[in-house]
Amino acid sequence: MFEKQVIVDGKKHLLGRLASVVAKELLNGQAVVVLRCEQLVVTGSLLRNKMKWARYKRKTMNTNPSNHGPYHFRSPSKMFWHTVRGMVPHKTFRGAQAMARLKVFEGVPEDFAKCKKMVVPDALQVLHSKTYRKITVLGRLASESGWKHAELIAKLEEKRVAEGKSYYAEKKEAAKRKAKAEAAADTSKVDKVLEGFGYYIEPTKVGAMKALKEEFASSE
């Protein structure tokens, strides 16, 4: 069953592996959003990847290189988009519709800041790359290739993380206050009235589930 939109946090994902999974999902009809593309990872040292980029940058159209492709995108999100496009038959109607279902961003835009984000186990660096292998962060490669917004994205990320921490701290305090108020409140009169109408459900006591699990375990 399809979700309305799958939001993937691109941090510490391998570029090619993530692109292949995303391409397949797009072709199957799933809308995908990929965030924090600047923290995607490419295997190989920075020097090796810069040399590959330099060779790629020399590829131009022979007869009219100023107005025609290939276009050498500098931003990490467009680099990822271009990688996905290479795995999709984008010149067909089906491929064009698939690419229209893809959204890519550096950082985390405000619209997606409070949405549930997912990872792709088939593309995580920690699961598919040896610890001693050299890697290149896509944001740094892009910065050294002409992308000029790395500092701005890093500043916005710091601000977002700080706001998230303060929000979580406030949420924990509110939960503690609520639990304390519930423990102190005397609702015996109201409970009897609700029970008469069939709405009252006795709260589960602390440790009741643990005792129930132990009882089941001993019976087996």
Side-chain angles (χ1 to χ4, degrees), residues 22-88:
V22 169
K24 187 67 175 178
E25 289 297 316
L26 293 172
L27 289 169
N28 285 338
Q30 177 65 62
V32 181
V33 179
V34 183
L35 307 176
R36 297 209 280 185
C37 288
E38 78 281 358
Q39 296 190 39
L40 287 167
V41 170
V42 184
T43 53
S45 66
L46 178 63
L47 178 61
R48 177 186 175 88
N49 283 297
K50 283 177 71 175
M51 289 173 68
K52 285 172 70 175
W53 170 262
R55 289 194 295 272
Y56 166 64
K57 199 166 68 169
R58 290 185 63 192
K59 295 182 184 295
T60 58
M61 184 182 180
N62 198 24
T63 55
N64 193 353
S66 60
N67 293 333
H68 295 276
Y71 300 107
H72 309 103
F73 297 114
R74 262 65 170 184
S75 71
S77 60
K78 292 299 284 185
M79 286 180 179
F80 177 74
W81 177 88
H82 198 263
T83 306
V84 174
R85 195 188 76 159
M87 300 178 182
V88 171

Short mmCIF file of all heavy atoms in Angstrom, two decimals, residues 22-88:
data_model
loop_
_atom_site.label_atom_id
_atom_site.label_comp_id
_atom_site.label_asym_id
_atom_site.label_seq_id
_atom_site.Cartn_x
_atom_site.Cartn_y
_atom_site.Cartn_z
N VAL A 22 15.19 4.82 -4.63
CA VAL A 22 14.24 5.90 -4.90
C VAL A 22 13.70 5.79 -6.32
O VAL A 22 12.49 5.96 -6.56
CB VAL A 22 14.91 7.27 -4.67
CG1 VAL A 22 14.04 8.40 -5.21
CG2 VAL A 22 15.18 7.49 -3.19
N ALA A 23 14.56 5.48 -7.29
CA ALA A 23 14.13 5.36 -8.68
C ALA A 23 13.08 4.26 -8.84
O ALA A 23 12.06 4.44 -9.53
CB ALA A 23 15.34 5.06 -9.58
N LYS A 24 13.29 3.13 -8.16
CA LYS A 24 12.33 2.03 -8.23
C LYS A 24 10.99 2.44 -7.63
O LYS A 24 9.93 2.14 -8.19
CB LYS A 24 12.90 0.82 -7.48
CG LYS A 24 12.07 -0.45 -7.62
CD LYS A 24 12.08 -0.96 -9.03
CE LYS A 24 11.36 -2.29 -9.13
NZ LYS A 24 11.32 -2.79 -10.52
N GLU A 25 11.03 3.12 -6.51
CA GLU A 25 9.79 3.55 -5.86
C GLU A 25 9.03 4.56 -6.73
O GLU A 25 7.80 4.52 -6.82
CB GLU A 25 10.10 4.18 -4.49
CG GLU A 25 10.55 3.18 -3.45
CD GLU A 25 9.49 2.15 -3.11
OE1 GLU A 25 8.32 2.53 -2.96
OE2 GLU A 25 9.84 0.96 -3.03
N LEU A 26 9.77 5.47 -7.36
CA LEU A 26 9.14 6.46 -8.24
C LEU A 26 8.43 5.78 -9.41
O LEU A 26 7.30 6.14 -9.77
CB LEU A 26 10.18 7.44 -8.76
CG LEU A 26 10.84 8.37 -7.72
CD1 LEU A 26 11.99 9.13 -8.37
CD2 LEU A 26 9.83 9.34 -7.14
N LEU A 27 9.09 4.80 -10.01
CA LEU A 27 8.50 4.09 -11.15
C LEU A 27 7.29 3.27 -10.73
O LEU A 27 6.41 2.99 -11.55
CB LEU A 27 9.55 3.20 -11.80
CG LEU A 27 10.65 3.93 -12.58
CD1 LEU A 27 11.77 2.99 -12.95
CD2 LEU A 27 10.07 4.59 -13.83
N ASN A 28 7.25 2.88 -9.45
CA ASN A 28 6.09 2.13 -8.95
C ASN A 28 4.93 3.04 -8.55
O ASN A 28 3.89 2.55 -8.12
CB ASN A 28 6.50 1.26 -7.75
CG ASN A 28 7.30 0.06 -8.17
OD1 ASN A 28 7.23 -0.38 -9.32
ND2 ASN A 28 8.09 -0.49 -7.27
N GLY A 29 5.15 4.36 -8.63
CA GLY A 29 4.07 5.29 -8.36
C GLY A 29 4.12 6.00 -7.02
O GLY A 29 3.21 6.75 -6.68
N GLN A 30 5.19 5.78 -6.25
CA GLN A 30 5.30 6.39 -4.93
C GLN A 30 5.95 7.77 -5.02
O GLN A 30 6.97 7.94 -5.69
CB GLN A 30 6.15 5.49 -4.01
CG GLN A 30 6.39 6.04 -2.63
CD GLN A 30 5.12 6.17 -1.82
OE1 GLN A 30 4.45 5.19 -1.55
NE2 GLN A 30 4.78 7.39 -1.46
N ALA A 31 5.38 8.76 -4.34
CA ALA A 31 5.98 10.10 -4.24
C ALA A 31 7.04 10.07 -3.15
O ALA A 31 6.80 9.57 -2.05
CB ALA A 31 4.93 11.14 -3.94
N VAL A 32 8.22 10.61 -3.46
CA VAL A 32 9.35 10.55 -2.53
C VAL A 32 9.95 11.94 -2.35
O VAL A 32 10.12 12.67 -3.33
CB VAL A 32 10.44 9.57 -3.03
CG1 VAL A 32 11.60 9.51 -2.04
CG2 VAL A 32 9.87 8.18 -3.26
N VAL A 33 10.27 12.28 -1.11
CA VAL A 33 10.98 13.52 -0.79
C VAL A 33 12.29 13.13 -0.11
O VAL A 33 12.28 12.34 0.84
CB VAL A 33 10.16 14.42 0.16
CG1 VAL A 33 10.94 15.69 0.49
CG2 VAL A 33 8.82 14.77 -0.47
N VAL A 34 13.41 13.66 -0.58
CA VAL A 34 14.71 13.37 0.03
C VAL A 34 15.27 14.67 0.62
O VAL A 34 15.43 15.66 -0.10
CB VAL A 34 15.70 12.78 -1.00
CG1 VAL A 34 17.02 12.43 -0.32
CG2 VAL A 34 15.11 11.53 -1.65
N LEU A 35 15.54 14.63 1.93
CA LEU A 35 16.05 15.81 2.64
C LEU A 35 17.53 15.64 2.96
O LEU A 35 18.06 14.54 2.92
CB LEU A 35 15.27 16.00 3.94
CG LEU A 35 13.74 16.04 3.83
CD1 LEU A 35 13.13 16.13 5.22
CD2 LEU A 35 13.28 17.20 2.97
N ARG A 36 18.18 16.75 3.28
CA ARG A 36 19.59 16.78 3.69
C ARG A 36 20.51 16.08 2.67
O ARG A 36 21.35 15.27 3.01
CB ARG A 36 19.77 16.16 5.07
CG ARG A 36 19.05 16.93 6.15
CD ARG A 36 19.71 16.82 7.49
NE ARG A 36 19.39 15.60 8.18
CZ ARG A 36 19.78 15.32 9.42
NH1 ARG A 36 20.51 16.19 10.10
NH2 ARG A 36 19.45 14.19 9.99
N CYS A 37 20.32 16.43 1.40
CA CYS A 37 21.14 15.83 0.34
C CYS A 37 22.61 16.19 0.49
O CYS A 37 23.48 15.47 -0.01
CB CYS A 37 20.64 16.28 -1.04
SG CYS A 37 19.06 15.55 -1.50
N GLU A 38 22.91 17.30 1.16
CA GLU A 38 24.31 17.69 1.32
C GLU A 38 25.06 16.73 2.24
O GLU A 38 26.30 16.73 2.27
CB GLU A 38 24.40 19.13 1.86
CG GLU A 38 24.15 19.30 3.33
CD GLU A 38 22.68 19.28 3.71
OE1 GLU A 38 21.83 19.16 2.81
OE2 GLU A 38 22.39 19.40 4.92
N GLN A 39 24.35 15.87 2.98
CA GLN A 39 25.00 14.91 3.87
C GLN A 39 24.98 13.48 3.32
O GLN A 39 25.28 12.53 4.03
CB GLN A 39 24.35 14.96 5.26
CG GLN A 39 24.55 16.31 5.93
CD GLN A 39 24.14 16.31 7.38
OE1 GLN A 39 24.36 15.35 8.10
NE2 GLN A 39 23.55 17.41 7.83
N LEU A 40 24.64 13.35 2.04
CA LEU A 40 24.81 12.07 1.36
C LEU A 40 26.29 11.75 1.23
O LEU A 40 27.13 12.65 1.29
CB LEU A 40 24.17 12.11 -0.04
CG LEU A 40 22.64 12.08 -0.10
CD1 LEU A 40 22.17 12.44 -1.49
CD2 LEU A 40 22.11 10.71 0.30
N VAL A 41 26.60 10.48 1.05
CA VAL A 41 27.99 10.04 1.04
C VAL A 41 28.29 9.33 -0.27
O VAL A 41 27.47 8.58 -0.79
CB VAL A 41 28.24 9.09 2.25
CG1 VAL A 41 29.59 8.41 2.14
CG2 VAL A 41 28.15 9.86 3.55
N VAL A 42 29.49 9.58 -0.79
CA VAL A 42 29.99 8.88 -1.99
C VAL A 42 31.25 8.13 -1.57
O VAL A 42 32.09 8.67 -0.85
CB VAL A 42 30.33 9.87 -3.12
CG1 VAL A 42 30.74 9.13 -4.38
CG2 VAL A 42 29.16 10.80 -3.40
N THR A 43 31.37 6.89 -1.99
CA THR A 43 32.57 6.12 -1.64
C THR A 43 33.77 6.66 -2.41
O THR A 43 33.64 7.22 -3.50
CB THR A 43 32.38 4.63 -1.97
OG1 THR A 43 31.97 4.50 -3.33
CG2 THR A 43 31.33 4.01 -1.07
N GLY A 44 34.94 6.49 -1.82
CA GLY A 44 36.16 7.00 -2.44
C GLY A 44 36.62 8.29 -1.78
O GLY A 44 35.82 9.00 -1.17
N SER A 45 37.90 8.58 -1.92
CA SER A 45 38.46 9.78 -1.29
C SER A 45 37.98 11.04 -2.00
O SER A 45 37.49 10.99 -3.13
CB SER A 45 39.99 9.73 -1.32
OG SER A 45 40.44 9.81 -2.66
N LEU A 46 38.14 12.17 -1.33
CA LEU A 46 37.74 13.45 -1.92
C LEU A 46 38.53 13.73 -3.19
O LEU A 46 37.97 14.18 -4.19
CB LEU A 46 37.95 14.57 -0.90
CG LEU A 46 37.63 15.98 -1.38
CD1 LEU A 46 36.15 16.11 -1.73
CD2 LEU A 46 38.00 17.02 -0.33
N LEU A 47 39.82 13.46 -3.18
CA LEU A 47 40.66 13.70 -4.35
C LEU A 47 40.18 12.89 -5.55
O LEU A 47 40.06 13.40 -6.66
CB LEU A 47 42.12 13.37 -4.03
CG LEU A 47 43.12 13.52 -5.18
CD1 LEU A 47 43.16 14.98 -5.65
CD2 LEU A 47 44.51 13.05 -4.76
N ARG A 48 39.89 11.63 -5.31
CA ARG A 48 39.42 10.74 -6.39
C ARG A 48 38.11 11.26 -6.99
O ARG A 48 37.95 11.33 -8.22
CB ARG A 48 39.22 9.33 -5.84
CG ARG A 48 38.68 8.33 -6.84
CD ARG A 48 38.38 7.00 -6.14
NE ARG A 48 37.75 6.05 -7.03
CZ ARG A 48 38.40 5.20 -7.81
NH1 ARG A 48 39.72 5.19 -7.81
NH2 ARG A 48 37.76 4.35 -8.58
N ASN A 49 37.19 11.67 -6.12
CA ASN A 49 35.89 12.15 -6.61
C ASN A 49 36.00 13.51 -7.29
O ASN A 49 35.25 13.80 -8.23
CB ASN A 49 34.89 12.19 -5.45
CG ASN A 49 34.37 10.81 -5.09
OD1 ASN A 49 33.72 10.15 -5.90
ND2 ASN A 49 34.68 10.36 -3.89
N LYS A 50 36.94 14.34 -6.84
CA LYS A 50 37.16 15.62 -7.52
C LYS A 50 37.73 15.40 -8.92
O LYS A 50 37.38 16.12 -9.87
CB LYS A 50 38.10 16.50 -6.69
CG LYS A 50 37.44 17.14 -5.49
CD LYS A 50 38.41 17.95 -4.65
CE LYS A 50 38.85 19.21 -5.35
NZ LYS A 50 39.71 20.05 -4.49
N MET A 51 38.59 14.41 -9.06
CA MET A 51 39.14 14.09 -10.39
C MET A 51 38.05 13.56 -11.31
O MET A 51 37.99 13.92 -12.50
CB MET A 51 40.27 13.07 -10.25
CG MET A 51 41.54 13.65 -9.61
SD MET A 51 42.79 12.41 -9.26
CE MET A 51 43.25 11.95 -10.92
N LYS A 52 37.16 12.73 -10.77
CA LYS A 52 36.03 12.22 -11.57
C LYS A 52 35.13 13.37 -12.00
O LYS A 52 34.66 13.41 -13.14
CB LYS A 52 35.23 11.20 -10.74
CG LYS A 52 35.92 9.85 -10.61
CD LYS A 52 35.20 8.95 -9.63
CE LYS A 52 33.87 8.50 -10.18
NZ LYS A 52 33.22 7.52 -9.25
N TRP A 53 34.89 14.31 -11.06
CA TRP A 53 34.06 15.47 -11.39
C TRP A 53 34.71 16.33 -12.47
O TRP A 53 34.04 16.81 -13.39
CB TRP A 53 33.81 16.30 -10.13
CG TRP A 53 33.18 17.62 -10.42
CD1 TRP A 53 33.80 18.82 -10.53
CD2 TRP A 53 31.80 17.87 -10.69
NE1 TRP A 53 32.90 19.82 -10.82
CE2 TRP A 53 31.66 19.26 -10.93
CE3 TRP A 53 30.66 17.07 -10.75
CZ2 TRP A 53 30.44 19.85 -11.22
CZ3 TRP A 53 29.44 17.66 -11.03
CH2 TRP A 53 29.34 19.03 -11.26
N ALA A 54 36.03 16.50 -12.39
CA ALA A 54 36.74 17.32 -13.39
C ALA A 54 36.63 16.69 -14.78
O ALA A 54 36.45 17.40 -15.78
CB ALA A 54 38.21 17.45 -12.98
N ARG A 55 36.72 15.35 -14.84
CA ARG A 55 36.56 14.68 -16.14
C ARG A 55 35.14 14.83 -16.67
O ARG A 55 34.93 15.04 -17.86
CB ARG A 55 36.92 13.19 -16.00
CG ARG A 55 38.41 12.94 -15.82
CD ARG A 55 38.75 11.47 -16.03
NE ARG A 55 38.16 10.62 -15.02
CZ ARG A 55 38.72 10.31 -13.85
NH1 ARG A 55 39.92 10.82 -13.54
NH2 ARG A 55 38.14 9.51 -12.99
N TYR A 56 34.17 14.73 -15.74
CA TYR A 56 32.76 14.87 -16.14
C TYR A 56 32.48 16.29 -16.62
O TYR A 56 31.73 16.51 -17.58
CB TYR A 56 31.88 14.51 -14.94
CG TYR A 56 30.44 14.91 -15.08
CD1 TYR A 56 29.62 14.36 -16.06
CD2 TYR A 56 29.86 15.83 -14.21
CE1 TYR A 56 28.30 14.72 -16.18
CE2 TYR A 56 28.53 16.20 -14.32
CZ TYR A 56 27.77 15.63 -15.31
OH TYR A 56 26.45 15.99 -15.44
N LYS A 57 33.09 17.29 -15.97
CA LYS A 57 32.83 18.69 -16.31
C LYS A 57 33.32 19.03 -17.73
O LYS A 57 32.82 19.99 -18.34
CB LYS A 57 33.50 19.59 -15.28
CG LYS A 57 32.94 21.00 -15.24
CD LYS A 57 33.37 21.76 -13.99
CE LYS A 57 34.85 22.04 -14.02
NZ LYS A 57 35.25 23.00 -12.95
N ARG A 58 34.27 18.27 -18.22
CA ARG A 58 34.79 18.54 -19.58
C ARG A 58 33.84 18.05 -20.66
O ARG A 58 33.99 18.41 -21.83
CB ARG A 58 36.14 17.87 -19.76
CG ARG A 58 37.26 18.51 -18.95
CD ARG A 58 38.59 17.89 -19.26
NE ARG A 58 38.96 18.11 -20.66
CZ ARG A 58 39.96 17.49 -21.29
NH1 ARG A 58 40.68 16.59 -20.64
NH2 ARG A 58 40.23 17.75 -22.54
N LYS A 59 32.85 17.23 -20.30
CA LYS A 59 31.91 16.70 -21.30
C LYS A 59 30.93 17.80 -21.71
O LYS A 59 30.19 18.32 -20.88
CB LYS A 59 31.15 15.50 -20.74
CG LYS A 59 32.03 14.30 -20.45
CD LYS A 59 31.22 13.14 -19.94
CE LYS A 59 32.10 11.97 -19.55
NZ LYS A 59 32.81 11.38 -20.68
N THR A 60 30.96 18.16 -22.97
CA THR A 60 30.05 19.18 -23.48
C THR A 60 29.52 18.74 -24.84
O THR A 60 30.02 17.78 -25.43
CB THR A 60 30.78 20.53 -23.67
OG1 THR A 60 31.89 20.34 -24.56
CG2 THR A 60 31.29 21.07 -22.35
N MET A 61 28.52 19.44 -25.33
CA MET A 61 28.04 19.18 -26.69
C MET A 61 29.07 19.70 -27.68
O MET A 61 29.60 20.80 -27.51
CB MET A 61 26.69 19.85 -26.90
CG MET A 61 26.09 19.55 -28.24
SD MET A 61 24.55 20.38 -28.50
CE MET A 61 24.14 19.80 -30.12
N ASN A 62 29.36 18.93 -28.69
CA ASN A 62 30.45 19.24 -29.60
C ASN A 62 30.18 20.47 -30.47
O ASN A 62 31.03 21.33 -30.64
CB ASN A 62 30.74 18.03 -30.49
CG ASN A 62 32.12 18.11 -31.12
OD1 ASN A 62 33.00 18.79 -30.58
ND2 ASN A 62 32.31 17.44 -32.22
N THR A 63 28.94 20.57 -30.98
CA THR A 63 28.66 21.63 -31.96
C THR A 63 28.23 22.95 -31.32
O THR A 63 28.50 24.02 -31.86
CB THR A 63 27.56 21.18 -32.93
OG1 THR A 63 26.40 20.79 -32.16
CG2 THR A 63 28.03 20.02 -33.77
N ASN A 64 27.54 22.87 -30.16
CA ASN A 64 27.07 24.10 -29.52
C ASN A 64 27.16 23.95 -28.00
O ASN A 64 26.15 23.80 -27.30
CB ASN A 64 25.63 24.40 -29.94
CG ASN A 64 25.21 25.81 -29.56
OD1 ASN A 64 25.94 26.52 -28.88
ND2 ASN A 64 24.03 26.21 -29.99
N PRO A 65 28.36 23.99 -27.45
CA PRO A 65 28.53 23.72 -26.01
C PRO A 65 27.97 24.79 -25.09
O PRO A 65 27.77 24.53 -23.91
CB PRO A 65 30.06 23.64 -25.87
CG PRO A 65 30.59 24.42 -27.01
CD PRO A 65 29.63 24.23 -28.13
N SER A 66 27.70 25.99 -25.59
CA SER A 66 27.23 27.07 -24.71
C SER A 66 25.76 26.95 -24.36
O SER A 66 25.33 27.38 -23.29
CB SER A 66 27.50 28.43 -25.36
OG SER A 66 26.80 28.53 -26.59
N ASN A 67 24.95 26.38 -25.26
CA ASN A 67 23.49 26.38 -25.06
C ASN A 67 22.90 25.00 -24.79
O ASN A 67 21.73 24.89 -24.43
CB ASN A 67 22.78 26.97 -26.29
CG ASN A 67 23.08 28.44 -26.45
OD1 ASN A 67 23.37 29.13 -25.49
ND2 ASN A 67 23.03 28.92 -27.68
N HIS A 68 23.66 23.95 -24.96
CA HIS A 68 23.11 22.61 -24.81
C HIS A 68 23.92 21.83 -23.76
O HIS A 68 25.02 22.19 -23.40
CB HIS A 68 23.10 21.87 -26.14
CG HIS A 68 22.20 22.50 -27.15
ND1 HIS A 68 20.84 22.24 -27.21
CD2 HIS A 68 22.43 23.40 -28.12
CE1 HIS A 68 20.29 22.95 -28.18
NE2 HIS A 68 21.25 23.68 -28.76
N GLY A 69 23.32 20.70 -23.32
CA GLY A 69 23.91 19.90 -22.24
C GLY A 69 25.16 19.17 -22.68
O GLY A 69 25.65 19.36 -23.79
N PRO A 70 25.67 18.33 -21.79
CA PRO A 70 25.10 18.06 -20.46
C PRO A 70 25.35 19.20 -19.49
O PRO A 70 26.36 19.89 -19.56
CB PRO A 70 25.85 16.80 -20.01
CG PRO A 70 27.15 16.86 -20.72
CD PRO A 70 26.86 17.49 -22.05
N TYR A 71 24.37 19.39 -18.57
CA TYR A 71 24.48 20.45 -17.57
C TYR A 71 25.12 19.88 -16.31
O TYR A 71 24.71 18.84 -15.81
CB TYR A 71 23.09 21.01 -17.25
CG TYR A 71 22.42 21.61 -18.47
CD1 TYR A 71 21.36 20.95 -19.09
CD2 TYR A 71 22.88 22.81 -19.02
CE1 TYR A 71 20.75 21.49 -20.22
CE2 TYR A 71 22.28 23.35 -20.14
CZ TYR A 71 21.22 22.68 -20.74
OH TYR A 71 20.64 23.21 -21.87
N HIS A 72 26.12 20.57 -15.81
CA HIS A 72 26.88 20.07 -14.66
C HIS A 72 26.37 20.77 -13.39
O HIS A 72 26.82 21.86 -13.05
CB HIS A 72 28.37 20.34 -14.87
CG HIS A 72 28.86 19.85 -16.20
ND1 HIS A 72 29.09 20.72 -17.26
CD2 HIS A 72 29.12 18.61 -16.66
CE1 HIS A 72 29.50 20.02 -18.30
NE2 HIS A 72 29.52 18.74 -17.96
N PHE A 73 25.42 20.13 -12.74
CA PHE A 73 24.80 20.72 -11.55
C PHE A 73 25.79 20.78 -10.41
O PHE A 73 26.53 19.83 -10.15
CB PHE A 73 23.57 19.91 -11.14
CG PHE A 73 22.49 19.90 -12.18
CD1 PHE A 73 22.15 18.73 -12.84
CD2 PHE A 73 21.82 21.07 -12.50
CE1 PHE A 73 21.15 18.72 -13.80
CE2 PHE A 73 20.82 21.06 -13.47
CZ PHE A 73 20.49 19.89 -14.12
N ARG A 74 25.75 21.89 -9.68
CA ARG A 74 26.69 22.08 -8.56
C ARG A 74 26.07 21.77 -7.20
O ARG A 74 26.78 21.42 -6.28
CB ARG A 74 27.18 23.54 -8.53
CG ARG A 74 28.53 23.76 -9.18
CD ARG A 74 28.55 23.51 -10.65
NE ARG A 74 29.80 23.95 -11.26
CZ ARG A 74 30.05 23.91 -12.55
NH1 ARG A 74 29.15 23.42 -13.39
NH2 ARG A 74 31.20 24.32 -13.02
N SER A 75 24.77 21.93 -7.05
CA SER A 75 24.16 21.72 -5.73
C SER A 75 23.98 20.23 -5.46
O SER A 75 23.69 19.45 -6.38
CB SER A 75 22.80 22.43 -5.64
OG SER A 75 21.85 21.77 -6.44
N PRO A 76 24.13 19.80 -4.19
CA PRO A 76 23.99 18.37 -3.85
C PRO A 76 22.63 17.79 -4.22
O PRO A 76 22.55 16.65 -4.68
CB PRO A 76 24.21 18.35 -2.33
CG PRO A 76 25.00 19.57 -2.04
CD PRO A 76 24.55 20.59 -3.02
N SER A 77 21.57 18.57 -4.03
CA SER A 77 20.23 18.05 -4.33
C SER A 77 20.09 17.77 -5.83
O SER A 77 19.52 16.74 -6.23
CB SER A 77 19.16 19.03 -3.87
OG SER A 77 19.32 20.28 -4.51
N LYS A 78 20.62 18.66 -6.67
CA LYS A 78 20.53 18.45 -8.12
C LYS A 78 21.46 17.33 -8.58
O LYS A 78 21.16 16.63 -9.55
CB LYS A 78 20.85 19.75 -8.85
CG LYS A 78 19.81 20.83 -8.67
CD LYS A 78 18.43 20.43 -9.19
CE LYS A 78 18.35 20.48 -10.70
NZ LYS A 78 16.99 20.19 -11.20
N MET A 79 22.59 17.16 -7.88
CA MET A 79 23.47 16.02 -8.19
C MET A 79 22.73 14.71 -7.94
O MET A 79 22.78 13.78 -8.76
CB MET A 79 24.73 16.07 -7.33
CG MET A 79 25.75 17.12 -7.73
SD MET A 79 27.18 17.05 -6.63
CE MET A 79 28.21 18.34 -7.31
N PHE A 80 22.03 14.65 -6.80
CA PHE A 80 21.26 13.44 -6.49
C PHE A 80 20.11 13.25 -7.49
O PHE A 80 19.87 12.14 -7.97
CB PHE A 80 20.71 13.52 -5.07
CG PHE A 80 19.86 12.35 -4.69
CD1 PHE A 80 20.43 11.12 -4.41
CD2 PHE A 80 18.48 12.47 -4.63
CE1 PHE A 80 19.64 10.03 -4.08
CE2 PHE A 80 17.68 11.39 -4.30
CZ PHE A 80 18.27 10.16 -4.03
N TRP A 81 19.42 14.36 -7.80
CA TRP A 81 18.33 14.30 -8.78
C TRP A 81 18.82 13.77 -10.12
O TRP A 81 18.17 12.93 -10.75
CB TRP A 81 17.74 15.71 -8.94
CG TRP A 81 16.66 15.83 -9.95
CD1 TRP A 81 15.33 15.62 -9.75
CD2 TRP A 81 16.81 16.16 -11.35
NE1 TRP A 81 14.64 15.81 -10.92
CE2 TRP A 81 15.52 16.14 -11.91
CE3 TRP A 81 17.91 16.48 -12.14
CZ2 TRP A 81 15.31 16.44 -13.25
CZ3 TRP A 81 17.69 16.77 -13.49
CH2 TRP A 81 16.41 16.74 -14.03
N HIS A 82 19.99 14.24 -10.54
CA HIS A 82 20.56 13.81 -11.82
C HIS A 82 20.92 12.33 -11.78
O HIS A 82 20.78 11.62 -12.79
CB HIS A 82 21.79 14.66 -12.13
CG HIS A 82 22.20 14.62 -13.58
ND1 HIS A 82 23.19 13.80 -14.04
CD2 HIS A 82 21.73 15.30 -14.67
CE1 HIS A 82 23.34 13.97 -15.34
NE2 HIS A 82 22.46 14.88 -15.75
N THR A 83 21.40 11.85 -10.63
CA THR A 83 21.72 10.43 -10.49
C THR A 83 20.47 9.57 -10.61
O THR A 83 20.47 8.53 -11.28
CB THR A 83 22.40 10.17 -9.13
OG1 THR A 83 23.52 11.04 -8.99
CG2 THR A 83 22.87 8.74 -9.01
N VAL A 84 19.38 10.02 -9.96
CA VAL A 84 18.11 9.28 -10.05
C VAL A 84 17.59 9.30 -11.48
O VAL A 84 17.12 8.28 -11.99
CB VAL A 84 17.06 9.89 -9.09
CG1 VAL A 84 15.70 9.23 -9.28
CG2 VAL A 84 17.52 9.73 -7.64
N ARG A 85 17.70 10.45 -12.14
CA ARG A 85 17.21 10.56 -13.52
C ARG A 85 17.91 9.58 -14.44
O ARG A 85 17.30 9.05 -15.38
CB ARG A 85 17.39 11.99 -14.03
CG ARG A 85 16.58 12.27 -15.29
CD ARG A 85 16.90 13.60 -15.90
NE ARG A 85 18.17 13.57 -16.61
CZ ARG A 85 18.53 14.43 -17.57
NH1 ARG A 85 17.69 15.40 -17.91
NH2 ARG A 85 19.70 14.36 -18.14
N GLY A 86 19.20 9.33 -14.17
CA GLY A 86 19.94 8.37 -14.99
C GLY A 86 19.45 6.94 -14.82
O GLY A 86 19.77 6.07 -15.65
N MET A 87 18.68 6.68 -13.75
CA MET A 87 18.15 5.33 -13.50
C MET A 87 16.69 5.20 -13.90
O MET A 87 16.07 4.16 -13.65
CB MET A 87 18.31 4.99 -12.01
CG MET A 87 19.74 5.03 -11.53
SD MET A 87 19.85 4.69 -9.77
CE MET A 87 21.64 4.86 -9.52
N VAL A 88 16.15 6.25 -14.50
CA VAL A 88 14.73 6.28 -14.88
C VAL A 88 14.64 6.57 -16.37
O VAL A 88 15.40 7.41 -16.88
CB VAL A 88 13.99 7.38 -14.07
CG1 VAL A 88 12.58 7.59 -14.59
CG2 VAL A 88 13.96 7.03 -12.59
#
